[in-house]
Amino acid sequence: MSLNSFGHVFRVTTWGESHGPALGAVVDGCPPGVALDEGWIQPFMDRRRPGSSKHTTQRQEADRVRILSGVFEGQTTGTPIMLIIENTDQRSRDYGDIARAFRPGHADIAYHQKYGLRDYRGGGRSSARETAARVAAGAVAQAVLRDLVPGLTVLGYMVQMGALHLNRDAFDADAIRDNPFFLPDPSAVAEWEAYLSAIRKAQNSVGAAVEVLIRGCPPGLGAPVYGKLDTDLAAAMMSINAVKGVEIGEGMAAAALTGVENADEIRMGPDGQPEYLSNHAGGILGGISTGQDITVRFAVKPTSSILTPRRTIDAAGQEIELITKGRHDPCVGIRAVPVAEAMAACVVLDHLLLDRAQTGGVRGRIGG
Amino acid sequence: MSLNSFGHVFRVTTWGESHGPALGAVVDGCPPGVALDEGWIQPFMDRRRPGSSKHTTQRQEADRVRILSGVFEGQTTGTPIMLIIENTDQRSRDYGDIARAFRPGHADIAYHQKYGLRDYRGGGRSSARETAARVAAGAVAQAVLRDLVPGLTVLGYMVQMGALHLNRDAFDADAIRDNPFFLPDPSAVAEWEAYLSAIRKAQNSVGAAVEVLIRGCPPGLGAPVYGKLDTDLAAAMMSINAVKGVEIGEGMAAAALTGVENADEIRMGPDGQPEYLSNHAGGILGGISTGQDITVRFAVKPTSSILTPRRTIDAAGQEIELITKGRHDPCVGIRAVPVAEAMAACVVLDHLLLDRAQTGGVRGRIGG
Amino acid sequence: MSLNSFGHVFRVTTWGESHGPALGAVVDGCPPGVALDEGWIQPFMDRRRPGSSKHTTQRQEADRVRILSGVFEGQTTGTPIMLIIENTDQRSRDYGDIARAFRPGHADIAYHQKYGLRDYRGGGRSSARETAARVAAGAVAQAVLRDLVPGLTVLGYMVQMGALHLNRDAFDADAIRDNPFFLPDPSAVAEWEAYLSAIRKAQNSVGAAVEVLIRGCPPGLGAPVYGKLDTDLAAAMMSINAVKGVEIGEGMAAAALTGVENADEIRMGPDGQPEYLSNHAGGILGGISTGQDITVRFAVKPTSSILTPRRTIDAAGQEIELITKGRHDPCVGIRAVPVAEAMAACVVLDHLLLDRAQTGGVRGRIGG
Amino acid sequence: MSLNSFGHVFRVTTWGESHGPALGAVVDGCPPGVALDEGWIQPFMDRRRPGSSKHTTQRQEADRVRILSGVFEGQTTGTPIMLIIENTDQRSRDYGDIARAFRPGHADIAYHQKYGLRDYRGGGRSSARETAARVAAGAVAQAVLRDLVPGLTVLGYMVQMGALHLNRDAFDADAIRDNPFFLPDPSAVAEWEAYLSAIRKAQNSVGAAVEVLIRGCPPGLGAPVYGKLDTDLAAAMMSINAVKGVEIGEGMAAAALTGVENADEIRMGPDGQPEYLSNHAGGILGGISTGQDITVRFAVKPTSSILTPRRTIDAAGQEIELITKGRHDPCVGIRAVPVAEAMAACVVLDHLLLDRAQTGGVRGRIGG
């Protein structure tokens, strides 16, 4: 029941504030014997880190991860893995004038009311900086999945930014790594750049929607009724800062469908495995994976740290106007892409381990 | 780490299959000294039960709840409360011909692959019958909330059914209890009736969207980072059968907003409490309640138990066509309304208790 | 974090009071495909139940278990298993005059102080009646172990009762089932009978010590640092009513040993497996099983429901004298034997599943 | 279900190996607003650390704790507290020749069998070095208890070392801090010194028994049935390296008592509170504290790292003889004293928070 942990078997606990000396994650329950080193993890961090593109926050962090435990001679030992990331570019003076003020749209007032005090620098624990720790943990999960389920891939990308929507007919997975938007449509990148630059210049910010595609997930993962795979995926995405909605497969659009439209019929495939004729279910039935592609999608609200004045109050009950200075993101949704991949990897691995706990990983046979 | 339990302090474990002799819930961690009896719980069950309107499944269940423990002389004792509901109207013969077949869109094939066997009658554990147990547990949560937070209300209603959408300008909470759709717009009921009758006659089914409005939630509930209030609400709704998407506040629409549109400015209210000038956040900031109205919305996919033939396979790997006979729901989303209220009540109470564990319930002061 | 649940993967939740209509257990996380029916469970219940010998309480309960879920066509489905036991012989009138009094040595006053109220009849939730539910759950665990680890046995027996100690040189496992003391020394039974009869006639009671021997436990079970096998076994025994001490292997006697005496040297056995030259460790090193015999031992304090007058107070603060009428046990330790076996079985199975979650059950090789 | 975490609300996760760069603890669920800094914690560490007396291991560690998160401007924020301790005096070369050998009596072989590999340096994760992290966490718990329950004290001391037993008639709490044995009898210190010196010179080691006395614990703490206060205290002590038995109150001696001897009668005290005429229960009834003194006692087996040759095997299955060189403890029980205090503080605080979750901390009234 840790408030700062997630997972059932592969259990991650994160710690650290935006302007503290460091932050990190303890990964517990990791299978032993998996090759792991800092060189494996660092590229995952680099995709996420602030300052890596002009479109994300201008805070420059190296986000260098060190492994302090749980790995010996290049392999996981099965003991807890401590991943630590030092904060090097926290500019406390940027926040000095809002020590007692509650930035509208941020967690400041809620933290104050709940805890009675808060580390106000950079949002303290409520900052998206915490997600760096998740990305490190997700890299560990990816190492294990690499060994346990070689065909499984987790791919995140943006599908919407404000008024702009991904053209799914132009979907090109290879393009994702080549542009700062994680956008799988190279032809649209220029348009997205222009759009976001205009937002930034107007001292505004914009929301986004991110999708994660999980391919090659074995069937049978998920623990009904309250540990369903889609429940845990939804919770994982909803826990990311600024997320307001989560969808699996058809998502909210399912409300408009009829049963005839929605049913995924089944035949036997050439390999003697079940073959689905469609995938409205999004790869999950009754909370359990079917082996089909799993799509998870979520919406990120626009940053509240905009540079136009806002009316608010402070802890003394004074009504004030506030401009949140400092380095800010016009679209926090972009950086959520690697975070979402990390969360998805952790959840899928967790369920792989949970499934083999209860069933030994043996699958029910279909056919001869 | 129970797969069939949810909650951190107020912890509910459900058990029981669709066609077993009974089903129920064990409620653990309930505060003592709360007045509770079967008469309090039964009305919650009656709102949900099958056969209570011609638009839900024709299975006739009394859904009579008995309390077997945890209550003494009309009060909760703080010990686990066992709530049991007997199944009386399971017609096993309706399912006899699909013992080995996997109904498309249902969990059948997934359960078979995960567990190697399944109680196929009525969907076994994967059946929405399980939600009856949740409603009983939710009634217990409501009793505690009635005592601990007298002003708090939890109200569920439908906002969409297939092509029909609630007209929010005509919102009338009092109408919800007076029509079989839990629809807060009395003028639209006839239209919804006609629409659904047509669906049923066509042997089809339709999806729906349900919203839950939580009013009077105290500020400060929610346990960042992974026990956020919105995370737990989302997980609770996503765990309901056939749910494919969940939204908090603006939901997926937040992806299209800009920061200027989205910020909720704050002033001091006449009662010396913070007063928000809007509520795009949906009552939750940084995963913690602010005291504003909380709205949770989710989409339910259409029933897959439709009466038109579907192509599928069975456990022997045979390709077959299947008509799922029996009594079926043209819109399972309707019955999800009281289930969602129950889940919301459980989550909010759980967080009230969790909060008072860590902070003693003392709130940070704002102003004098 | 359920207060009324134990176990990590194989998770048991019990409910029910001594004088309620019923009590029982929900078993979650049970592997599927295990043959199980009421006929398998009932003999475990019969060994424990009150009235089964003149030396245990005179309350006559059939302790008939019914399985309400989680089993289909004679096999576990992997869904939660509800085991219910009706109370048939609760004589409420025996307790009527102590409704408000706190019986010395019992949990009455502590429950009153914690919860503000209590079901006083027969001790309510604090009664050892609750252990009937554990025995039922333990029977389920035994069924799974029967399939997963055929050579594993769990054997409980008494080693002390008041002034009498088991003569270990006369240890005869076959005798355990043939006498009402679960005593593995048939030659001592008459002495124990006479001793206990004298205690009963004197309206007194006596403490006991019970030992559980686990043979054939595979090496590698246990989850350091806080889920160690010995930690969980100790917690399991300590949770049994009236237990005041728990020992593994040498137990408290280890404090008097020196290192030279205590070391268990290792050689290679004829089967290519490690062979230990002694077993001071009690089958567990660093919290992980070694494959050697595991011995757990615990002490049960004497019953406080004796028939001589005791000074106490009641909830009104009145000083009174109390004789606890009703049917009482001169030695509650006897009935703890099958309860301890049940707890040991649950813990070992839980760790088997937990181990295969993290490691897939693959063991580190020693030798070629 | 973290394997490396303990606690329900106040939840501690430790990480780190004996010869890794560092080790530490993440403390989650800590109440906010508690004054805390490194200066508060360090004295707790100093009592435990190796090299602090000639009777404990000769490894010289400063055990300097740094707080990396969860504290702001000298107060806890309610967010996770990261405590890190660098290892500075790990002499890897001392262990080089036993990389593949399994030291008898140590966890080496068990870790190898479970995980397939292990960090063999200094015992890796199985080393008692891990307890340094517990002491740091315990110091945090003590800070909270200092604020929440000012009269509560947790006091640990040795009661046995090999053949020597504490003379309880000479009990002098003030003496504990003045001698290297944490012995509450100053007149016996010279005898204990001579005894242990002889053990060390003989290249041997010896077991010990430690007791923790908790005074001023409020009544009502403990969560029946499986979260009992004594269950959690027992588990906490049993999880400490080399512990083989745990006792509460009378402990194993309860097996020899009769009911007449054992009952704690109750009267009303002059302050209108219940007054117990004895304390055989050890301050806990039915798993709930009564307000009386709580005594927990445990036995620590002798160190297996003795300097006489032992027969064992290595991972290649070779039979070898082994002398474990390096710096070793003739009596590891001594250092367990501050560790036990730390664990007791964590458990008591955890239960204080858990109790106020379910009951709001309101106690049942006795009398007017």
Side-chain angles (χ1 to χ4, degrees):
Chain A
M1 193 222 65
S2 276
L3 314 175
N4 286 279
S5 304
F6 68 93
H8 306 279
V9 179
F10 185 82
R11 192 159 173 85
V12 177
T13 300
T14 68
W15 56 271
E17 284 86 48
S18 176
H19 281 227
L23 61 111
V26 180
V27 177
D28 201 3
C30 184
V34 174
L36 179 69
D37 60 14
E38 289 159 4
W40 168 267
I41 300 177
Q42 200 56 48
F44 292 89
M45 306 304 298
D46 294 343
R47 293 187 77 214
R48 178 205 158 277
R49 64 188 181 85
S52 62
S53 93
K54 64 179 181 292
H55 299 295
T56 57
T57 187
Q58 294 317 304
R59 177 169 169 174
Q60 294 292 337
E61 287 283 355
D63 272 357
R64 188 139 303 275
V65 174
R66 288 192 298 140
I67 299 173
L68 296 188
S69 68
V71 178
F72 182 63
E73 294 180 346
Q75 289 189 296
T76 57
T77 53
T79 62
I81 300 169
M82 175 67 205
L83 307 162
I84 188 169
I85 302 155
E86 281 181 50
N87 281 328
T88 59
D89 193 36
Q90 59 275 49
R91 288 188 211 162
S92 294
R93 65 183 180 276
D94 283 342
Y95 297 95
D97 58 345
I98 60 165
R100 308 213 82 220
F102 304 128
R103 298 168 299 164
H106 282 270
D108 302 0
I109 187 172
Y111 269 62
H112 176 85
Q113 288 184 299
K114 181 180 184 75
Y115 296 113
L117 76 160
R118 64 189 180 95
D119 179 351
Y120 54 80
R121 304 166 302 165
R125 180 72 179 152
S126 70
S127 162
R129 185 100 190 92
E130 184 269 344
T131 61
R134 306 184 193 207
V135 172
V140 176
Q142 293 271 27
V144 184
L145 289 170
R146 172 199 72 205
D147 285 7
L148 291 190
V149 194
L152 189 148
T153 60
V154 176
L155 185 67
Y157 43 88
M158 287 186 74
V159 296
Q160 177 182 358
M161 183 172 69
L164 305 182
H165 293 260
L166 170 71
N167 173 10
R168 290 182 178 273
D169 294 332
F171 192 98
D172 175 2
D174 294 333
I176 293 170
R177 297 183 170 273
D178 291 339
N179 68 80
F181 298 103
F182 303 107
L183 188 64
D185 176 7
S187 71
V189 174
E191 180 187 13
W192 284 50
E193 288 239 24
Y195 181 83
L196 193 56
S197 292
I199 295 277
R200 194 185 324 106
K201 289 192 181 103
Q203 299 183 339
N204 202 353
S205 63
V206 69
V210 175
E211 187 167 282
V212 180
L213 170 65
I214 303 166
R215 288 209 141 129
C217 181
L221 303 198
V225 167
Y226 299 104
K228 288 174 176 173
L229 183 60
D230 42 359
T231 300
D232 281 1
L233 284 169
M237 303 307 164
M238 192 63 85
S239 76
I240 299 173
N241 308 64
V243 173
K244 302 306 286 183
V246 186
E247 304 184 308
I248 304 277
E250 292 286 341
M252 299 306 289
L257 297 179
T258 67
V260 170
E261 295 163 337
N262 189 56
D264 295 322
E265 295 181 301
I266 319 171
R267 301 275 83 190
M268 288 302 287
D271 58 350
Q273 291 300 310
E275 186 176 283
Y276 295 82
L277 304 188
S278 53
N279 188 14
H280 292 101
I284 298 177
L285 283 175
I288 299 171
S289 61
T290 60
Q292 292 181 284
D293 287 354
I294 297 171
T295 48
V296 188
R297 194 165 45 257
F298 61 92
V300 184
K301 71 178 188 183
T303 317
S304 295
S305 289
I306 56 180
L307 299 176
T308 50
R310 319 300 305 163
R311 290 175 293 174
T312 188
I313 61 175
D314 66 11
Q318 297 290 318
E319 294 186 339
I320 61 176
E321 270 209 0
L322 190 67
I323 294 177
T324 41
K325 299 206 192 65
R327 302 153 293 175
H328 299 287
D329 243 312
C331 181
V332 290
I334 299 173
R335 204 150 10 107
V337 173
V339 178
E341 287 180 343
M343 297 304 286
C346 288
V347 171
V348 171
L349 173 61
D350 188 38
H351 276 274
L352 193 88
L353 303 185
L354 192 56
D355 176 69
R356 73 180 184 182
Q358 193 180 10
T359 70
V362 176
R363 293 292 72 126
R365 284 248 307 254
I366 293 176
Chain B
M1 193 221 67
S2 275
L3 314 175
N4 286 278
S5 305
F6 68 94
H8 307 277
V9 180
F10 185 82
R11 192 159 174 83
V12 178
T13 301
T14 68
W15 55 272
E17 285 86 45
S18 176
H19 281 228
L23 61 112
V26 180
V27 176
D28 202 2
C30 184
V34 174
L36 180 70
D37 61 15
E38 289 159 3
W40 168 268
I41 300 177
Q42 199 57 46
F44 291 89
M45 307 305 298
D46 294 342
R47 292 187 77 212
R48 179 203 159 278
R49 64 188 182 84
S52 62
S53 94
K54 64 178 182 292
H55 299 295
T56 57
T57 186
Q58 294 318 302
R59 176 171 171 176
Q60 296 290 339
E61 287 283 355
D63 272 357
R64 188 138 303 274
V65 174
R66 287 193 298 141
I67 300 174
L68 296 188
S69 68
V71 177
F72 182 63
E73 294 182 346
Q75 288 189 296
T76 57
T77 53
T79 63
I81 300 170
M82 175 67 205
L83 307 164
I84 187 169
I85 302 155
E86 280 179 50
N87 282 327
T88 60
D89 193 35
Q90 60 274 49
R91 287 188 210 164
S92 295
R93 65 181 181 278
D94 283 342
Y95 297 97
D97 58 346
I98 60 164
R100 308 213 82 222
F102 303 129
R103 299 168 298 164
H106 282 271
D108 303 358
I109 187 171
Y111 269 61
H112 176 85
Q113 288 183 299
K114 182 181 183 77
Y115 296 113
L117 76 160
R118 62 186 181 98
D119 178 350
Y120 54 80
R121 304 166 302 164
R125 181 72 179 151
S126 69
S127 160
R129 185 103 190 90
E130 184 270 345
T131 61
R134 305 184 193 207
V135 172
V140 177
Q142 293 269 29
V144 184
L145 289 170
R146 172 199 71 206
D147 284 9
L148 291 190
V149 194
L152 189 147
T153 60
V154 176
L155 186 67
Y157 43 87
M158 287 186 75
V159 295
Q160 178 183 358
M161 183 172 68
L164 305 182
H165 293 259
L166 169 71
N167 173 9
R168 289 182 179 274
D169 294 333
F171 192 99
D172 174 4
D174 294 333
I176 293 170
R177 298 182 170 273
D178 291 339
N179 68 81
F181 298 102
F182 303 106
L183 189 63
D185 176 6
S187 70
V189 175
E191 182 186 12
W192 285 49
E193 289 240 22
Y195 181 82
L196 193 57
S197 291
I199 294 278
R200 193 184 323 106
K201 290 194 180 105
Q203 299 184 338
N204 202 352
S205 63
V206 68
V210 175
E211 187 167 281
V212 180
L213 171 65
I214 303 166
R215 285 208 144 130
C217 180
L221 302 198
V225 170
Y226 298 104
K228 288 174 176 173
L229 183 60
D230 41 1
T231 300
D232 281 2
L233 285 169
M237 303 308 163
M238 192 63 85
S239 76
I240 299 173
N241 308 64
V243 172
K244 302 307 284 183
V246 185
E247 305 184 307
I248 304 277
E250 293 286 340
M252 298 307 288
L257 295 179
T258 66
V260 171
E261 295 163 337
N262 190 54
D264 295 321
E265 296 181 302
I266 319 172
R267 302 274 82 189
M268 288 302 288
D271 58 351
Q273 291 299 312
E275 186 177 283
Y276 295 81
L277 305 188
S278 52
N279 189 14
H280 292 99
I284 298 177
L285 283 175
I288 299 172
S289 62
T290 60
Q292 292 180 286
D293 287 353
I294 297 170
T295 48
V296 188
R297 195 164 44 257
F298 61 92
V300 184
K301 71 179 188 183
T303 317
S304 295
S305 286
I306 56 180
L307 299 175
T308 49
R310 319 299 304 162
R311 289 175 294 173
T312 188
I313 61 176
D314 66 12
Q318 296 291 319
E319 294 186 342
I320 61 176
E321 272 208 359
L322 189 67
I323 294 178
T324 41
K325 300 206 192 65
R327 304 155 290 176
H328 299 288
D329 242 312
C331 181
V332 290
I334 299 174
R335 206 152 6 109
V337 172
V339 179
E341 286 181 342
M343 297 304 285
C346 287
V347 170
V348 170
L349 173 62
D350 188 38
H351 277 274
L352 194 88
L353 303 184
L354 192 57
D355 176 68
R356 72 180 185 183
Q358 193 181 10
T359 69
V362 177
R363 293 291 72 123
R365 284 249 305 256
I366 295 175
Chain C
M1 192 219 70
S2 274
L3 314 175
N4 286 279
S5 304
F6 67 94
H8 306 279
V9 179
F10 185 82
R11 193 160 173 82
V12 178
T13 301
T14 68
W15 56 272
E17 285 88 47
S18 177
H19 281 228
L23 61 111
V26 181
V27 177
D28 202 4
C30 184
V34 174
L36 180 70
D37 61 17
E38 289 158 3
W40 167 268
I41 300 176
Q42 200 55 46
F44 291 90
M45 307 305 299
D46 294 342
R47 292 187 76 213
R48 177 204 160 279
R49 65 187 180 84
S52 60
S53 94
K54 64 179 181 295
H55 299 294
T56 56
T57 186
Q58 296 316 303
R59 178 171 169 172
Q60 295 291 337
E61 287 284 355
D63 272 357
R64 188 138 303 274
V65 174
R66 287 193 298 140
I67 299 174
L68 296 188
S69 69
V71 176
F72 182 62
E73 294 181 346
Q75 288 189 295
T76 56
T77 54
T79 62
I81 301 169
M82 174 68 204
L83 306 163
I84 187 168
I85 302 154
E86 282 181 49
N87 282 326
T88 60
D89 192 37
Q90 58 273 51
R91 288 190 212 164
S92 295
R93 64 181 181 276
D94 283 342
Y95 297 96
D97 58 344
I98 59 165
R100 308 212 84 220
F102 304 127
R103 298 169 297 163
H106 282 272
D108 303 358
I109 187 172
Y111 269 61
H112 176 86
Q113 288 183 300
K114 182 181 183 73
Y115 296 112
L117 76 161
R118 64 190 179 94
D119 178 350
Y120 52 81
R121 305 167 300 163
R125 181 72 178 150
S126 70
S127 161
R129 184 102 190 90
E130 183 269 346
T131 61
R134 305 184 194 206
V135 172
V140 177
Q142 293 269 28
V144 184
L145 289 170
R146 171 200 72 206
D147 285 6
L148 291 190
V149 193
L152 190 147
T153 60
V154 176
L155 185 68
Y157 42 87
M158 288 187 73
V159 296
Q160 178 183 357
M161 182 172 68
L164 305 182
H165 294 259
L166 170 72
N167 174 10
R168 290 182 179 273
D169 293 331
F171 191 98
D172 174 4
D174 294 332
I176 292 171
R177 296 182 171 275
D178 292 337
N179 68 79
F181 299 103
F182 303 106
L183 188 64
D185 176 7
S187 71
V189 174
E191 181 186 14
W192 283 50
E193 289 239 21
Y195 181 82
L196 193 57
S197 292
I199 295 280
R200 194 184 323 106
K201 289 195 181 102
Q203 298 183 339
N204 202 354
S205 63
V206 69
V210 175
E211 187 167 282
V212 179
L213 170 65
I214 303 166
R215 285 208 143 128
C217 181
L221 302 197
V225 171
Y226 297 103
K228 288 174 176 173
L229 183 60
D230 42 1
T231 299
D232 281 2
L233 284 169
M237 303 308 163
M238 191 61 84
S239 76
I240 299 173
N241 308 65
V243 171
K244 301 308 283 186
V246 186
E247 304 185 309
I248 304 278
E250 291 286 341
M252 298 308 288
L257 296 178
T258 67
V260 171
E261 295 162 336
N262 190 54
D264 295 323
E265 295 181 303
I266 317 171
R267 301 274 83 189
M268 287 303 286
D271 59 349
Q273 290 299 310
E275 186 177 283
Y276 295 83
L277 305 187
S278 53
N279 188 15
H280 292 101
I284 297 176
L285 283 174
I288 300 172
S289 61
T290 60
Q292 292 181 284
D293 286 354
I294 297 171
T295 48
V296 188
R297 194 166 43 258
F298 61 92
V300 185
K301 71 179 187 182
T303 318
S304 296
S305 288
I306 56 182
L307 299 175
T308 49
R310 318 300 305 161
R311 288 176 294 174
T312 189
I313 61 175
D314 66 11
Q318 297 290 317
E319 294 185 340
I320 61 175
E321 271 209 359
L322 190 67
I323 294 178
T324 41
K325 300 209 191 67
R327 307 155 288 175
H328 299 288
D329 243 312
C331 181
V332 291
I334 299 174
R335 203 147 12 104
V337 173
V339 178
E341 287 180 342
M343 296 304 286
C346 288
V347 170
V348 170
L349 173 61
D350 188 38
H351 276 274
L352 194 87
L353 303 184
L354 192 57
D355 176 69
R356 74 180 183 181
Q358 193 181 11
T359 70
V362 177
R363 294 289 72 123
R365 282 251 305 256
I366 296 176
Chain D
M1 194 220 67
S2 275
L3 314 174
N4 286 280
S5 304
F6 68 93
H8 306 277
V9 179
F10 186 82
R11 192 159 174 82
V12 177
T13 301
T14 69
W15 57 272
E17 285 87 46
S18 177
H19 281 228
L23 61 111
V26 180
V27 177
D28 202 2
C30 184
V34 174
L36 180 69
D37 59 16
E38 290 159 2
W40 168 268
I41 300 177
Q42 199 57 46
F44 292 89
M45 308 304 298
D46 294 343
R47 292 187 76 213
R48 178 205 159 278
R49 65 187 179 84
S52 61
S53 94
K54 64 177 179 295
H55 299 293
T56 57
T57 186
Q58 295 317 303
R59 175 169 171 175
Q60 295 291 339
E61 287 284 354
D63 271 357
R64 187 138 305 272
V65 173
R66 287 192 298 139
I67 299 174
L68 295 188
S69 69
V71 178
F72 182 64
E73 293 180 347
Q75 289 190 293
T76 57
T77 53
T79 62
I81 302 170
M82 175 67 206
L83 307 162
I84 187 168
I85 302 155
E86 281 180 49
N87 281 326
T88 59
D89 192 35
Q90 59 273 52
R91 286 188 213 164
S92 297
R93 66 180 180 276
D94 283 342
Y95 297 97
D97 58 346
I98 60 165
R100 309 214 80 219
F102 304 127
R103 298 168 298 164
H106 282 271
D108 302 0
I109 186 172
Y111 269 61
H112 176 86
Q113 288 184 300
K114 182 181 184 74
Y115 295 113
L117 77 162
R118 64 187 180 97
D119 178 350
Y120 54 79
R121 303 166 302 163
R125 180 74 179 150
S126 70
S127 160
R129 185 101 189 91
E130 183 270 345
T131 61
R134 304 183 194 208
V135 172
V140 177
Q142 293 270 29
V144 184
L145 289 171
R146 172 199 70 208
D147 285 7
L148 291 190
V149 194
L152 189 147
T153 60
V154 176
L155 185 69
Y157 42 88
M158 287 186 74
V159 295
Q160 179 183 357
M161 183 171 68
L164 305 182
H165 293 259
L166 171 70
N167 173 9
R168 289 182 180 273
D169 294 332
F171 191 99
D172 175 3
D174 293 333
I176 293 171
R177 297 183 169 274
D178 291 339
N179 68 79
F181 298 103
F182 303 107
L183 188 64
D185 176 7
S187 71
V189 174
E191 180 187 13
W192 284 49
E193 289 237 22
Y195 181 82
L196 192 57
S197 292
I199 295 278
R200 195 185 322 107
K201 288 191 180 106
Q203 298 182 342
N204 202 354
S205 63
V206 69
V210 175
E211 186 166 282
V212 179
L213 170 65
I214 304 166
R215 285 209 143 128
C217 181
L221 303 197
V225 167
Y226 297 103
K228 288 173 174 173
L229 183 60
D230 42 1
T231 300
D232 282 2
L233 285 169
M237 303 308 163
M238 191 62 84
S239 76
I240 299 174
N241 308 65
V243 172
K244 301 308 285 186
V246 185
E247 303 184 307
I248 303 277
E250 291 286 341
M252 298 308 290
L257 296 178
T258 67
V260 172
E261 294 162 337
N262 190 54
D264 294 323
E265 296 181 301
I266 318 171
R267 301 274 84 189
M268 288 302 287
D271 59 350
Q273 290 300 308
E275 186 177 284
Y276 295 82
L277 305 188
S278 52
N279 187 15
H280 292 100
I284 297 176
L285 283 175
I288 299 172
S289 61
T290 60
Q292 292 181 284
D293 287 354
I294 296 170
T295 48
V296 188
R297 195 165 43 258
F298 61 93
V300 185
K301 70 178 187 183
T303 318
S304 295
S305 287
I306 55 182
L307 299 174
T308 49
R310 319 299 306 161
R311 288 175 294 173
T312 188
I313 61 176
D314 67 10
Q318 297 291 317
E319 294 187 340
I320 60 174
E321 272 210 355
L322 189 66
I323 293 179
T324 42
K325 299 207 192 68
R327 305 156 288 177
H328 300 286
D329 242 312
C331 181
V332 290
I334 299 175
R335 206 154 2 110
V337 172
V339 178
E341 286 180 341
M343 296 304 285
C346 288
V347 170
V348 171
L349 173 60
D350 188 39
H351 276 274
L352 193 87
L353 303 184
L354 192 57
D355 176 68
R356 77 179 182 182
Q358 192 181 12
T359 70
V362 177
R363 294 288 73 120
R365 283 250 305 258
I366 295 176

